[in-house]
Amino acid sequence: MPAPHDPFIDLVPKQGIRLTPRHYAYLKISEGCNHRCSFCIIPSLRGDLVSRPIDEVMHEAQTLVDAGIREILVISQDTSAYGVDCRYATRFWQGQPLQTRFVDLARALGQLGVWVRLHYVYPYPHVDEVIPLLAEDGLLPYLDIPMQHASRAILKAMKRPGDRDKMLERILKWREICPELVIRSTFIVGFPGETDADFEQLLDFLEAAELDRVGCFTYSAVDGAAANALPNPVPEALKNERYARFMQKQQLISARKLQQRVGRQMTVLLESVTETGYIARSYADAPEIDGVVHIDTEQRLVPGEFCRVEINGADEYDLYASPSR
């Protein structure tokens, strides 16, 4: 016998109810975090890492694709730690044995035929295994890696492992394997104890790494964070000065990198209509946090669909284009 009709559930579409536009969706693969970064209280709020079984994640992803989604954005508090809590348990999806592991998940998602964007990727050594997948069709050559700082002393105070020189070596190697790779990151300036020398190391790292998309925040105390007790807080005025210098440096880097795309053709995902054309995003642009592609045209295009464009201009954050002929 069929289950009794439930008016609260039965009218919900199988892909669920989403607050995002119809053409992209977020796919959460785990909850919580095993790290104890001194500026963060996520573990105290959400607990240690708990990974969703990989077959459940893939079923949800396939359901989204079947519903017409064009882009899946993979999120968690620590995407590259996926599966460590369940010892990388093997599950089955469409007859394929898959370990509950970041690399297996990335490879499987790459088979779905839509854009797949990886966010919050902590730079563990095994992330190197995913880079060749980003050079193939399927996964977007885009990595969101929150690095937070470049000074070894500040990273230690943040309780985050990291080595500036090793990170630069990895970035160079990644770009050799996947030349189109776009790297996004976020940083904190004005962390307690940050000296002028620490900040200069961060600026030097920015220049050397030439990251494509960068966000920056001034340190702000969060109730319950261990960093609140650290000595030598940075004055607010100095935090703001460092923030301005950081952003000025990154604007120059971003403008230089975007200028290299002028004259090229790119596939973009149309977002919305404007008075002069359309707003779109390329593979290098995550929604709401990165730049956009402005398309100046009277041609009728369809938001939520892909389009080929020729890039004919750039500024510090955005590209300007027209439909390809």
Side-chain angles (χ1 to χ4, degrees), residues 71-72 110 114-119 121 130-145 174-175 177-184 212-213 257 261 264 266-267 282-286 290:
E71 177 181 9
I72 292 174
V114 298
W115 279 8
V116 176
R117 192 180 301 274
L118 302 174
H119 283 278
V121 178
V130 173
I131 305 302
L133 302 179
L134 303 182
E136 303 171 358
D137 291 337
L139 300 175
L140 292 178
Y142 178 105
L143 276 183
D144 173 18
I145 302 181
W174 292 348
R175 286 175 173 154
I177 297 170
C178 182
E180 295 299 312
L181 178 64
V182 163
I183 301 175
R184 148 168 272 280
D212 302 86
R213 300 299 196 187
K257 299 206 74 174
R261 298 192 182 276
R264 296 177 56 183
M266 300 185 73
T267 297
S282 74
Y283 80 89
D285 310 312
D290 292 332

Side-chain angles (χ1 to χ4, degrees), residues 37-58:
C37 301
S38 62
F39 56 82
C40 180
I41 60 171
I42 284 177
S44 64
L45 295 176
R46 302 182 180 178
D48 288 338
L49 178 77
V50 178
S51 301
R52 296 177 60 196
I54 193 167
D55 56 329
E56 292 183 11
V57 173
M58 290 304 303

Side-chain angles (χ1 to χ4, degrees), residues 43-320:
S44 64
L45 295 176
R46 302 182 180 178
D48 288 338
L49 178 77
V50 178
S51 301
R52 296 177 60 196
I54 193 167
D55 56 329
E56 292 183 11
V57 173
M58 290 304 303
H59 176 75
E60 180 180 347
Q62 184 66 64
T63 300
L64 291 170
V65 173
D66 292 344
I69 286 294
R70 298 288 186 266
E71 177 181 9
I72 292 174
L73 300 101
V74 178
I75 59 170
S76 67
Q77 277 80 49
D78 185 357
T79 296
S80 42
Y82 177 65
V84 68
D85 57 302
C86 60
R87 299 185 179 182
Y88 311 114
T90 298
R91 304 288 284 258
F92 288 84
W93 175 71
Q94 294 187 353
Q96 300 179 57
L98 298 175
Q99 285 190 302
T100 305
R101 185 188 297 270
F102 176 51
V103 177
D104 282 42
L105 178 64
R107 186 178 293 110
L109 289 171
Q111 300 173 21
L112 296 179
V114 298
W115 279 8
V116 176
R117 192 180 301 274
L118 302 174
H119 283 278
Y120 311 117
V121 178
Y122 200 88
Y124 301 110
H126 68 262
V127 172
D128 294 353
E129 300 174 38
V130 173
I131 305 302
L133 302 179
L134 303 182
E136 303 171 358
D137 291 337
L139 300 175
L140 292 178
Y142 178 105
L143 276 183
D144 173 18
I145 302 181
M147 299 179 194
Q148 309 300 1
H149 215 281
S151 161
R152 185 173 296 178
I154 296 302
L155 288 170
K156 183 177 180 180
M158 290 178 170
K159 295 187 177 179
R160 290 182 66 89
D163 183 282
R164 173 186 181 276
D165 293 336
K166 289 182 179 178
M167 193 70 237
L168 285 174
E169 288 178 9
R170 292 180 75 191
I171 290 172
L172 289 174
K173 184 178 179 180
W174 292 348
R175 286 175 173 154
E176 288 178 2
I177 297 170
C178 182
E180 295 299 312
L181 178 64
V182 163
I183 301 175
R184 148 168 272 280
S185 193
T186 51
F187 296 89
I188 298 173
V189 297
F191 192 80
E194 183 187 61
T195 64
D196 289 342
D198 293 322
F199 180 65
E200 291 299 330
Q201 287 181 44
L202 177 55
L203 294 184
D204 290 345
F205 176 82
L206 273 188
E207 189 65 43
E210 290 194 304
L211 303 177
D212 302 86
R213 300 299 196 187
V214 171
C216 181
F217 305 90
T218 57
Y219 173 76
S220 179
V222 177
D223 289 344
N228 298 344
L230 292 174
N232 302 316
V234 177
E236 288 298 321
L238 185 53
K239 289 181 190 178
N240 292 332
E241 176 189 326
R242 288 176 178 172
Y243 172 83
R245 289 180 60 196
F246 179 102
M247 293 306 299
Q248 183 179 38
K249 167 76 76 173
Q250 181 56 33
Q251 283 178 354
L252 294 173
I253 295 169
S254 178
R256 186 168 68 237
K257 299 206 74 174
L258 290 177
Q259 192 64 38
Q260 296 171 4
R261 298 192 182 276
V262 174
R264 296 177 56 183
Q265 293 200 6
M266 300 185 73
T267 297
V268 298
L269 184 57
L270 294 163
E271 289 287 321
S272 59
V273 182
T274 68
E275 292 183 359
T276 59
Y278 299 84
I279 296 293
R281 293 184 293 108
S282 74
Y283 80 89
D285 310 312
E288 300 181 345
I289 56 174
D290 292 332
V292 297
V293 181
H294 301 267
I295 305 174
D296 186 3
T297 183
E298 295 181 356
Q299 182 178 334
R300 186 171 183 179
L301 305 174
V302 181
E305 299 296 333
F306 293 108
C307 176
R308 288 289 289 177
V309 298
E310 182 172 345
I311 308 300
N312 47 45
D315 59 24
E316 292 91 342
Y317 300 113
D318 298 342
L319 295 173
Y320 299 83

